[in-house]
Each structure stands twice: as structure tokens, then as C-alpha cells.
Amino acid sequence: MKKYAVKIMLSADDWIYVTEDTRDNCWDLVPVVFNDKKEAEKFAKTWHHKYNGKRFVKVVSYES
């Protein structure tokens, strides 16, 4: 089954996944993953407000 994740732009060529709060050390980062693209887009909207627009946030296909 295809999964989706949300990425945030740090710079033009540098994007990072939005990760879950695992409360462990920073090396155990786990991306927030969705089974449905619409759910991922809904989640991404919360980040659009923080980053002043859609160009800094995107939904991508995710393979583990």
C-alpha cells in the first residue's frame, strides 16, 4: 500500500520529513506517515501557516 509523508523546506535543495515526537534521542526520528494522501494534505495545512505558504511544505510518497 502506498504511503505519504510531509516534508518541510530548509533551503532550495534541502527538505526534511515532519517526524513523530518519540521522546527519545534525536537519532531515532520517525516520519509521520499516512495511508491516505488527503489525510497527509490535511496535516500539511497545519504547517503551511507556520511557514507562510505552500511552497515550503509538500506531501510526498513514502517508502520505508
Side-chain angles (χ1 to χ4, degrees):
M1 174 179 249
K2 194 171 197 175
K3 297 202 182 256
Y4 301 91
V6 176
K7 283 190 166 183
I8 297 173
M9 185 172 79
L10 296 179
S11 66
D13 297 323
D14 195 13
W15 291 79
I16 60 169
Y17 288 106
V18 175
T19 59
E20 296 177 11
D21 182 4
T22 59
R23 303 213 184 254
D24 292 333
N25 69 46
C26 63
W27 298 110
D28 296 330
L29 298 176
V30 177
V32 177
V33 179
F34 301 88
N35 292 323
D36 181 66
K37 187 173 184 177
K38 288 187 181 197
E39 287 297 316
E41 290 170 349
K42 182 178 175 182
F43 179 76
K45 284 182 184 179
T46 62
W47 290 91
H48 291 172
H49 298 291
K50 293 179 184 181
Y51 287 92
N52 205 19
K54 291 183 178 182
R55 66 184 181 143
F56 299 108
V57 180
K58 64 182 177 180
V59 174
V60 297
S61 295
Y62 181 81
E63 293 183 27
S64 56

